[in-house]
Amino acid sequence: MAPSTVVPNIVKSPLDKREYRGLVLPNDMKVLLISDPLTDKSAASLSVAVGSMNDPKALPGLAHFLEHMLFMGTEKYPEENDYSKFLSENGGSSNAYTASDHTNYYFDVSPKELKGAMDRFAQFFISPLFTESATEREVNAVNSEHEKNISCDSWRSYQMECCTANPDHPYSWFSTGNKDTLWVKPRERKVDVRASLLDFHRQHYSSNLMSLAVLGSENLDELQQLVETLFSDVTNLSIATPEWPENPYGDAELQTRIEIVPIMDLRHISLLFPIPDVSQHYKSNPEGYLSHLIGHEGPGSLLSLLKEKNWVNSGLEAGSQVPARGFGLFKIAADLTEDGLKNTDAIIRHMFEYLEMLRNLGPQKWIWDEMRDVNAMLFRFKDKEPPQSYVANISSSMHTYPLSDVLSANYILTEFKPEITTEILGHMVPRKSRVTIVSKDYTDKTTLVEEFYGVKYNRKVIEPERITEWRNCSINAELQLPPKNEFIPSTFDLKVREEQRGIVPRTISHSSKSRLWFLQDNEFNMPKAVVKVEIFSPLPLLEPLKANLNHLYVAAVKDVLTEYSYAACVAGLHYNIINSIYGIEIVVSGYDHKLGLLLNRVFEKIVEFNVDPQRFEVLKDVYLRELKNFEDEQPYVHASYYMTYLLRERRWSNQELLNAMEDVTLEKLMQYSKEFMSKVKFEWLVHGNVTAEEASDYVKSCQLNFKKKGYRALLPLQTCRLREINLPKGSNHLFQTEHKSHVSSCAAVYFQTGMQERRANVLVELLENIANEPCFDQLRTKEQLGYIVFSGVRRAQGTQGIQILVQSDRHPVYVEGRIDNFLDILKKTLDDMTEEEFLQHRNALFVTKSEKPKKLIERSNLIWSEISQQLYRFERQAEELTDLGSVTLEDVRAFFNIAMGSGSVKRKRIGIHIISMVDGGAGRKEAENNLPSSEQSIVDDVAAWKLRQFLYPASHPSGYKSKP
């Protein structure tokens, strides 16, 4: 066998300690090897340059179907779930996706088991089985996935982009497929679907179209030998990489206005231009330059002008994409206000005014230089990424960029090419545009219906006089280029380390009004910091009206901060203000040099609260629609919502919040802001490249804003956290509700196990780890109940338990019965489990729980979780890993029998049924077996039911080693 070709000099971030090697195998497969001796997970991803646009026209969705089928057994490993079972037993997971021009498969696993995982993975591309039985069953999974998407507005809008393109272009075809396109109609035409899958794999899955990225703890030579041994047998057909140089939007598809009726109450406008594929110009990034300017949110921006006119809500998106090799698209999009919907032509005119300004001024070298410097800074201090997502992104990028630049592409800019920017702008003109508007206002006014999603829409030619008006638009003096970015940091020094405290923060100030937790970072050693603060107020829990006012308070502050904060975001300094049941939470993270400036400005705007009356109406409308749109969320979302609604001591229902919106006024919001500021308690975490003195200064400076308003401390009982319902032993409750948007229904069953405690935590996690893969295999793969099958640990208010959820077209009563059947299978699995098998599962959980945060913000989130839950188990990971080592198979069996076993008198069980009442939904089909079991206690009045229940105590740190 000929040797592999080594590609040297992979450009990496200066602080990246991983080692890299590029290879081209003898069969022309491109490979990037990544050696990281300290990795806690190994990972691999293979991307093949074949996607849905390679589908035969007569078999829409075949590439996506094949992606599903590769998981269903190979000649060497014929068991359908061998791959997923192996990964699950070794602390790993996997997934895949099908794009227009490529399909990506990826996994992660314990570093010790990379070879076994890679061997199974390689067989996907060498000898898949595509058995008859799996083919017939898995088409149902593809169909369930499609049915899940039918009522999803993002999928519907994407399909409308595709189906209104050139009908002869493969971009316009139905990409995901369903049972009709992949099974019913082919069989009517005597087409052998399994044979078609085999043919597609043989014809397209050529090694020279494949890019493989592998990250392991082995050295580069060992990784190279592993890859060469396992992947050299992938067949090389030496076929040309598929490209589509013709844009799917030709003259016949341009100067077109598409009007779409959404499922949810949305108002949205987008302006789309076909542009060339300029991927080869990644060292100049001309489309990134345009995205940066058009999508800017600072003073003089297009967004600021449209917000000033109260035509858009909060954000404006601008960016290019390459849906498939050979052609590109550039889109400008915004979320509309009610007034904006009436002024769409004027909004588009303003968009063209901005583009005309850019053409008139020409590409600005100083702006490109600033973008170059910021990107170089981001690359220099690039955070480490989780192995699985890292390799998945790299393998796909390997189709576009040379191996040497695959890590640095679009970060390291070295070539200013104004002529390419000018060329793209030349395509962004009225005669080459398409307009799409989404609104409920078009209900009953449409004449067309899309075939696969049932989208109601209109397709109109834009009037020539309108095109002429846009073409002749003049420069608008209100539109300007952004000023020089003052937030770009210039100091990247690491502060003198004051102490070595590992991952446990300390309190450096504590009073009835405020507590400051501080931890100087010694783990990531980046010039970055994170500040988190909760401004606790009991007001949002008093009544739904105040919960609504709290939401709008946060929304109004964020709205007024947009212009100021956007430049900070561009420079790698991010903030968020979060509406909470306990008041307001603020997060500021990024480069520490100018973090204090942004943090203080956020506090100033919270205290010096003021909102324009027109913007108030806009924000109120947005929130009102959010509340109403909840009814159209997926059934599984409703199931999770109702589980929390039933089990949390107090939660305002969506309907209660909606009813209370009738009383929301600007005057009440202004009064609420004053009331909020009068009595609060601050909980702070400052973590990263900061000193204790700087942390104290942040707190003093920010709280001084409140101090000027004379705020007072809360009483201890006013700061109590909510508690969780303690279900009675032997309980079997059921809550049922209807769904009127989706054809699918959902059943969720939760087994409450008690309070979170060290040993109990690992028992719950170990039992769920054992159950997870068999649950998916039984309910999803074998029984094909639905695309969404989930099992997991649910934790809330210091309690925990195990939940199983299935979204299905079958009635929830039937589905819950199948969940019970699975629990019987699980019991037998545990009873028959050998000690060796048990230790395999325990080791898998050990691998998962041993994973360390890859970024500073991830460590901050873990610390903050302990603080906000008032558990203070900062060394939770090490403590629970110690406890895990002492858990036995008998412990798990006994735990299952008590917590989930069918005969247990101590079991605490509650079910949620979301029943579809649309045409074809389970609730519309009469059947005798759709009645709940007589053993279940029906919850029909939630408030009355809650009043009869006991509560768990509040979270407490007793029994934990690390306390405040």
Side-chain angles (χ1 to χ4, degrees):
M1 185 176 70
S4 299
T5 302
V6 176
V7 180
N9 303 322
I10 306 296
V11 180
K12 67 174 185 175
S13 170
L15 299 180
D16 188 350
K17 293 182 174 60
R18 291 164 168 164
E19 293 184 346
Y20 297 85
R21 178 182 295 170
L23 296 176
V24 179
L25 300 185
N27 61 2
D28 288 336
M29 182 184 294
K30 289 189 292 185
V31 180
L32 187 71
L33 306 175
I34 309 166
S35 174
D36 182 356
L38 301 178
T39 190
D40 40 36
K41 281 282 184 75
S42 291
S45 171
L46 188 145
S47 182
V48 55
V50 175
S52 58
M53 284 175 56
N54 296 96
D55 286 343
K57 192 166 186 178
L59 281 170
L62 188 66
H64 179 222
F65 189 22
L66 185 141
E67 172 225 303
H68 277 242
M69 288 301 300
L70 287 193
F71 288 81
M72 307 296 285
T74 60
E75 288 180 13
K76 186 172 182 180
Y77 298 101
E79 282 187 52
E80 284 182 9
N81 69 329
D82 181 89
Y83 172 67
S84 57
K85 184 180 179 184
F86 180 87
L87 293 176
S88 175
E89 290 176 349
N90 290 286
S93 62
S94 68
N95 213 330
Y97 67 84
T98 303
S100 297
D101 66 350
H102 68 279
T103 307
N104 193 306
Y105 304 84
Y106 51 91
F107 72 84
D108 64 10
V109 73
S110 163
K112 295 179 181 178
E113 300 299 337
L114 177 62
K115 182 178 179 180
M118 289 279 282
D119 187 20
R120 288 161 173 79
F121 188 56
Q123 296 304 311
F124 282 21
F125 313 102
I126 297 171
S127 59
L129 285 178
F130 301 128
T131 62
E132 291 280 3
S133 63
T135 302
E136 188 165 355
R137 276 184 286 109
E138 195 60 20
V139 77
N140 293 319
V142 174
N143 192 66
S144 293
E145 185 177 354
H146 170 64
E147 287 189 344
K148 170 185 72 71
N149 298 336
I150 284 176
S151 296
C152 177
D153 282 307
S154 59
W155 275 100
R156 293 162 71 87
S157 291
Y158 172 71
Q159 178 62 15
M160 290 307 304
E161 272 190 18
C162 295
C163 77
T164 56
N166 179 351
D168 295 325
H169 197 291
Y171 184 69
S172 70
W173 302 346
F174 177 43
S175 61
T176 56
N178 61 17
K179 193 167 186 176
D180 198 42
T181 67
L182 292 169
W183 194 254
V184 177
K185 287 182 178 177
R187 285 165 67 88
E188 289 173 354
R189 300 193 306 268
K190 309 299 183 189
V191 173
D192 186 332
V193 177
R194 177 177 179 270
S196 298
L197 286 166
L198 286 163
D199 287 345
F200 191 93
H201 192 275
R202 279 194 294 261
Q203 292 168 13
H204 295 291
Y205 271 52
S206 172
S207 58
N208 75 301
L209 299 184
M210 295 179 182
S211 298
L212 174 68
V214 181
L215 187 156
S217 59
E218 297 85 349
N219 64 43
L220 291 173
D221 290 338
E222 291 168 334
L223 289 173
Q224 179 171 338
Q225 183 180 9
L226 178 64
V227 166
E228 289 174 336
T229 301
L230 296 176
F231 285 87
S232 292
D233 288 341
V234 180
T235 303
N236 184 6
L237 303 173
S238 298
I239 56 180
T241 302
E243 290 188 4
W244 296 265
E246 181 186 354
N247 204 291
Y249 301 109
D251 291 342
E253 290 76 42
L254 299 177
Q255 298 180 42
T256 301
R257 176 182 169 116
I258 309 293
E259 299 169 343
I260 300 173
V261 179
I263 296 295
M264 293 187 177
D265 187 4
L266 307 176
R267 293 191 294 263
H268 194 262
I269 187 170
S270 63
L271 182 62
L272 184 143
F273 305 94
I275 63 170
D277 177 354
V278 292
S279 301
Q280 71 271 27
H281 299 292
Y282 62 91
K283 291 186 179 181
S284 60
N285 196 10
E287 73 280 25
Y289 172 90
L290 292 172
S291 301
H292 166 63
L293 293 178
I294 301 167
H296 208 280
E297 299 180 1
S301 66
L302 177 59
L303 175 66
S304 289
L305 174 62
L306 297 176
K307 280 180 66 175
E308 187 181 339
K309 292 177 179 287
N310 281 304
W311 287 350
V312 301
N313 291 318
S314 55
L316 183 140
E317 299 172 22
S320 67
Q321 62 177 125
V322 178
R325 287 173 296 278
F327 68 91
L329 303 172
F330 198 105
K331 185 187 291 186
I332 308 171
D335 193 34
L336 298 174
T337 65
E338 199 168 346
D339 248 7
L341 187 62
K342 298 171 185 174
N343 289 278
T344 54
D345 288 340
I347 289 171
I348 294 167
R349 187 182 72 248
H350 286 317
M351 291 178 176
F352 281 116
E353 286 172 351
Y354 197 91
L355 293 173
E356 186 61 26
M357 178 192 72
L358 295 181
R359 268 189 290 270
N360 188 57
L361 294 173
Q364 301 289 300
K365 179 71 160 53
W366 74 268
I367 293 178
W368 186 87
D369 286 346
E370 189 176 86
M371 192 171 80
R372 176 200 61 199
D373 294 344
V374 168
N375 284 6
M377 176 190 71
L378 296 176
F379 188 62
R380 177 185 172 189
F381 299 109
K382 192 171 184 292
D383 289 314
K384 205 170 186 179
E385 296 178 43
Q388 189 182 88
S389 59
Y390 191 46
V391 295
N393 292 334
I394 288 172
S395 66
S396 289
S397 296
M398 288 162 69
H399 296 308
T400 306
Y401 309 115
L403 272 171
S404 57
D405 291 341
V406 75
L407 304 179
S408 61
N410 291 321
Y411 281 105
I412 303 302
L413 306 181
T414 56
E415 303 169 357
F416 178 55
K417 291 185 175 180
E419 69 278 7
I420 307 298
T421 303
T422 301
E423 179 190 346
I424 297 172
L425 275 171
H427 291 273
M428 298 171 68
V429 293
R431 67 182 178 84
K432 294 185 177 182
S433 65
R434 285 168 54 90
V435 175
T436 300
I437 302 174
V438 178
S439 172
K440 285 279 193 183
D441 280 23
Y442 299 124
T443 306
D444 302 325
K445 298 177 185 176
T446 55
T447 58
L448 301 171
V449 180
E450 189 276 331
E451 178 181 2
F452 297 103
Y453 289 77
V455 183
K456 295 179 179 179
Y457 71 103
N458 291 319
R459 180 173 181 166
K460 301 175 179 179
V461 175
I462 299 173
E463 303 90 336
E465 56 269 24
R466 190 71 64 199
I467 296 293
T468 301
E469 178 194 338
W470 293 339
R471 186 179 68 240
N472 295 331
C473 68
S474 57
I475 302 295
N476 188 327
E478 295 182 78
L479 296 171
Q480 299 174 358
L481 293 177
K484 189 176 186 299
N485 193 339
E486 301 296 336
F487 272 104
I488 297 175
S490 55
T491 299
F492 303 104
D493 297 334
L494 295 184
K495 309 289 170 62
V496 175
R497 267 30 195 174
E498 300 168 339
E499 55 185 50
Q500 297 284 339
R501 284 185 60 83
I503 59 173
V504 180
R506 63 184 174 96
T507 53
I508 56 177
S509 63
H510 191 184
S511 70
S512 59
K513 290 183 177 181
S514 176
R515 174 165 55 175
L516 167 58
W517 295 86
F518 170 72
L519 178 63
Q520 193 173 50
D521 170 56
N522 284 290
E523 189 175 6
F524 301 96
N525 296 310
M526 292 276 199
K528 299 179 181 181
V530 177
V531 175
K532 288 175 174 272
V533 56
E534 178 186 73
I535 309 176
F536 186 100
S537 169
L539 294 179
L541 285 171
L542 292 180
E543 58 171 337
L545 173 61
K546 284 188 166 49
N548 287 337
L549 292 171
N550 197 74
H551 179 102
L552 290 170
Y553 185 24
V554 167
V557 172
K558 291 171 74 172
D559 189 61
V560 79
L561 277 167
T562 301
E563 280 192 354
Y564 180 82
S565 65
Y566 188 78
C569 180
V570 169
L573 185 56
H574 306 277
Y575 95 100
N576 195 12
I577 310 178
I578 303 158
N579 167 61
S580 162
I581 58 173
Y582 300 123
I584 296 176
E585 198 172 298
I586 300 165
V587 184
V588 181
S589 63
Y591 297 96
D592 61 89
H593 182 203
K594 300 188 179 181
L595 185 146
L597 286 175
L598 179 58
L599 180 64
N600 205 53
R601 178 59 69 93
V602 171
F603 268 80
E604 286 174 3
K605 292 301 180 184
I606 289 173
V607 173
E608 301 299 332
F609 182 74
N610 196 19
V611 58
D612 177 80
Q614 285 185 297
R615 290 306 295 172
F616 166 75
E617 293 299 333
V618 167
L619 298 170
K620 181 180 175 182
D621 171 69
V622 170
Y623 181 46
L624 193 58
R625 286 187 291 132
E626 284 177 11
L627 291 172
K628 290 178 179 176
N629 285 338
F630 174 78
E631 294 304 313
D632 297 315
E633 291 283 2
Q634 293 270 354
Y636 76 90
V637 174
H638 279 211
S640 296
Y641 159 80
Y642 281 112
M643 190 69 77
T644 301
Y645 180 54
L646 264 73
L647 292 177
R648 187 185 288 171
E649 175 186 2
R650 193 189 319 163
R651 174 172 180 166
W652 309 124
S653 72
N654 195 72
Q655 191 58 51
E656 288 167 339
L657 294 171
L658 196 52
N659 293 341
M661 283 301 292
E662 297 175 7
D663 298 325
V664 170
T665 64
L666 178 56
E667 292 72 26
K668 287 182 180 177
L669 179 58
M670 296 305 296
Q671 180 58 39
Y672 178 83
S673 70
K674 294 173 183 175
E675 193 178 352
F676 180 92
M677 285 182 281
S678 66
K679 295 185 75 173
V680 293
K681 181 176 181 180
F682 295 94
E683 189 88 48
W684 291 83
L685 168 66
V686 179
H687 175 215
N689 187 42
V690 287
T691 64
E693 184 180 359
E694 287 173 324
S696 296
D697 287 345
Y698 286 160
V699 171
K700 290 173 186 174
S701 175
C702 291
Q703 289 183 190
L704 182 60
N705 293 285
F706 274 75
K707 193 174 183 180
K708 290 174 182 176
K709 297 291 182 179
Y711 84 100
R712 291 170 294 157
L714 291 166
L715 299 172
L717 284 178
Q718 289 181 298
T719 64
C720 291
R721 306 270 161 167
L722 291 175
R723 298 189 285 165
E724 195 86 345
I725 297 293
N726 185 348
L727 296 173
K729 292 178 181 179
S731 58
N732 187 2
H733 295 291
L734 175 64
F735 176 80
Q736 296 179 304
T737 188
E738 296 179 350
H739 199 287
K740 296 174 182 174
S741 297
H742 293 260
V743 71
S744 296
S745 298
C746 186
V749 182
Y750 175 62
F751 299 90
Q752 192 180 64
T753 60
M755 293 290 289
Q756 294 179 42
E757 293 177 349
R758 281 180 51 170
R759 189 170 178 81
N761 289 5
V762 294
L763 268 171
V764 168
E765 290 175 17
L766 185 51
L767 176 56
E768 196 284 323
N769 181 274
I770 293 170
N772 187 278
E773 193 281 328
C775 176
F776 187 87
D777 182 56
Q778 181 65 35
L779 301 179
R780 159 75 155 70
T781 305
K782 290 188 171 68
E783 298 192 31
Q784 290 293 321
L785 289 177
Y787 180 73
I788 296 175
V789 174
F790 166 82
S791 68
V793 176
R794 178 187 181 274
R795 289 187 166 126
Q797 274 70 50
T799 69
Q800 61 185 340
I802 294 176
Q803 177 174 279
I804 299 174
L805 180 151
V806 180
Q807 183 166 301
S808 173
D809 60 356
R810 304 296 298 269
H811 197 283
V813 169
Y814 173 80
V815 173
E816 187 166 352
R818 301 316 300 162
I819 291 173
D820 284 335
N821 179 67
F822 164 70
L823 292 175
D824 291 339
I825 294 172
L826 180 59
K827 176 175 170 51
K828 188 175 188 309
T829 300
L830 288 169
D831 289 344
D832 296 343
M833 185 172 287
T834 65
E835 188 66 24
E836 183 180 0
E837 290 170 331
F838 169 74
L839 292 177
Q840 185 77 43
H841 283 289
R842 196 174 74 179
N843 183 62
L845 181 59
F846 188 91
V847 170
T848 302
K849 287 181 71 67
S850 296
E851 282 190 75
K852 294 179 180 178
K854 304 297 183 290
K855 307 174 185 179
L856 180 76
I857 186 68
E858 292 175 3
R859 173 63 72 192
S860 300
N861 289 341
L862 289 174
I863 294 171
W864 185 250
S865 175
E866 298 296 332
I867 294 169
S868 61
Q869 293 183 72
Q870 299 183 344
L871 292 172
Y872 314 115
R873 271 186 72 190
F874 301 113
E875 297 179 295
R876 170 191 297 270
Q877 185 180 34
E879 294 167 2
E880 292 186 356
L881 284 171
T882 299
D883 290 338
L884 178 61
S886 65
V887 175
T888 67
L889 176 56
E890 281 307 312
D891 290 336
V892 176
R893 286 172 177 161
F895 187 70
F896 170 83
N897 289 334
I898 291 171
M900 302 177 77
S902 58
S904 172
V905 295
K906 295 182 178 180
R907 187 173 71 172
K908 302 178 175 186
R909 170 174 174 153
I910 187 168
I912 306 290
H913 289 181
I914 311 297
I915 306 167
S916 172
M917 298 303 293
V918 303
D919 289 341
R924 300 290 292 272
K925 301 172 184 175
E926 294 184 14
E928 291 181 6
N929 61 353
N930 286 348
L931 296 175
S933 164
S934 59
E935 297 176 1
Q936 292 179 300
S937 172
I938 307 298
V939 179
D940 47 20
D941 184 335
V942 176
W945 178 79
K946 282 188 176 183
L947 289 172
R948 296 194 300 270
Q949 308 305 314
F950 291 101
L951 296 174
Y952 278 106
S955 301
H956 59 91
S958 62
Y960 302 153
K961 290 180 182 176
S962 44
K963 301 179 186 178

